[in-house]
Amino acid sequence: MHYYYDVLANLDNTLWDFYEWEQTDNIVPIKKMPLVKVTEKDIKTFFKYQINFDSEWSSKFIEKTIVKNGKEKLSCILFSSGKNAIIIEIDETGKTISRSKLLVEDENNVNEIIYSIKETKVPYKIEQKLEIRKELRQAEKEKHFIWIELNTLKEKQNQIKCSFLYYEWFGEFESSMEKMLDKMKKELKKEYTIKLHEIASLIRMSYKEYL
């Protein structure tokens, strides 16, 4: 079995790009992890679908990943095609339970090392397609934050604050609270813009004023 050493993994159901990692994520410093070479087709499949690996094949990887500064052992596999790489955590049956992309430096090192390793034919089943993220993490968070605020305004029937946000958003007045909320929610379903960031910032500032 081949191994790769000293790598960070952001284990989650969602594959976050390195520039979207946050301190609150499940970022695990790994000391030693099994390394397997696969085809680029396999890698693309691992990125797009839920994967169940053959239990007999995957059993040899159970608790073979060693975490730094601790006694904890994980069941992870680092796959690389020489072009792209992905870390997949599995359970005892071979089912994928989390995955992670790599930092740029780690991925470059892995893809360079993998050329000296023989390619493995990995037995697995393709399950459901994973949800494709259309926007960056920060954009999704700010949209969700604004959506919650709009629902709060409706619940509290805060006409004054609703009118303020509406004017800052569209530069116009509207007397109907229902119409304002409806238009703002429709706007949230569109592509993220700098205006949404400005609205989210205004909402945050409005709460700081009460502190």
Side-chain angles (χ1 to χ4, degrees), residues 9-203:
N10 187 358
L11 296 173
D12 197 356
N13 290 324
T14 301
L15 270 173
W16 302 112
D17 288 303
F18 72 92
Y19 49 80
E20 295 188 276
W21 289 16
E22 297 182 352
Q23 291 183 346
T24 54
D25 289 345
N26 183 30
I27 300 175
V28 182
I30 293 173
K31 181 178 180 180
K32 180 181 178 182
M33 174 187 293
L35 175 63
V36 176
K37 184 178 183 179
V38 292
T39 66
E40 180 64 13
K41 181 180 179 181
D42 285 331
I43 289 288
K44 289 181 178 179
T45 301
F46 297 165
F47 272 84
K48 293 180 181 179
Y49 296 90
Q50 172 68 21
I51 300 298
N52 287 352
F53 297 95
D54 177 78
S55 58
E56 183 177 351
W57 178 85
S58 62
S59 62
K60 58 180 175 287
F61 299 103
I62 301 300
E63 295 190 346
K64 295 300 184 188
T65 294
I66 301 175
V67 178
K68 283 185 179 180
N69 305 321
K71 297 180 180 180
E72 182 182 8
K73 291 185 178 181
L74 302 176
S75 303
C76 296
I77 311 169
L78 173 53
F79 293 100
S80 171
S81 65
K83 292 183 178 180
N84 294 287
I86 185 174
I87 295 170
I88 294 181
E89 182 182 15
I90 58 174
D91 64 13
E92 294 81 2
T93 67
K95 180 181 179 180
T96 297
I97 56 177
S98 69
R99 46 181 65 77
S100 174
K101 290 186 178 181
L102 282 69
L103 297 177
V104 173
E105 184 177 356
D106 285 329
E107 183 158 22
N108 289 339
N109 289 337
V110 169
N111 290 335
E112 184 176 345
I113 291 171
I114 206 71
Y115 279 106
S116 62
I117 297 176
K118 185 178 179 182
E119 188 175 284
T120 299
K121 184 170 179 151
V122 179
Y124 61 85
K125 290 183 179 180
I126 300 174
E127 301 294 337
Q128 71 270 21
K129 192 170 185 179
L130 300 174
E131 183 178 353
I132 298 175
R133 294 173 55 239
K134 298 179 180 179
E135 295 182 309
L136 293 177
R137 188 177 193 177
Q138 186 61 31
E140 292 177 346
K141 289 177 69 174
E142 291 199 332
K143 279 189 171 185
H144 183 63
F145 176 66
I146 296 171
W147 185 272
I148 291 175
E149 176 66 8
L150 296 181
N151 287 336
T152 301
L153 294 177
K154 181 179 180 180
E155 181 182 347
K156 295 183 177 181
Q157 285 297 297
N158 193 335
Q159 176 89 22
I160 295 176
K161 190 174 184 180
C162 185
S163 297
F164 168 73
L165 289 179
Y166 185 84
Y167 181 79
E168 291 295 327
W169 203 328
F170 304 106
E172 60 187 35
F173 294 102
E174 170 59 58
S175 59
S176 169
M177 189 172 181
E178 183 179 351
K179 288 182 179 180
M180 285 189 287
L181 291 171
D182 183 62
K183 185 172 181 179
M184 287 189 284
K185 286 187 173 182
K186 284 181 179 178
E187 201 69 18
L188 283 176
K189 296 178 181 180
K190 298 180 182 179
E191 186 177 349
Y192 180 80
T193 63
I194 190 63
K195 176 57 71 173
L196 290 180
H197 175 68
E198 293 172 356
I199 296 299
S201 297
L202 282 173
I203 295 171

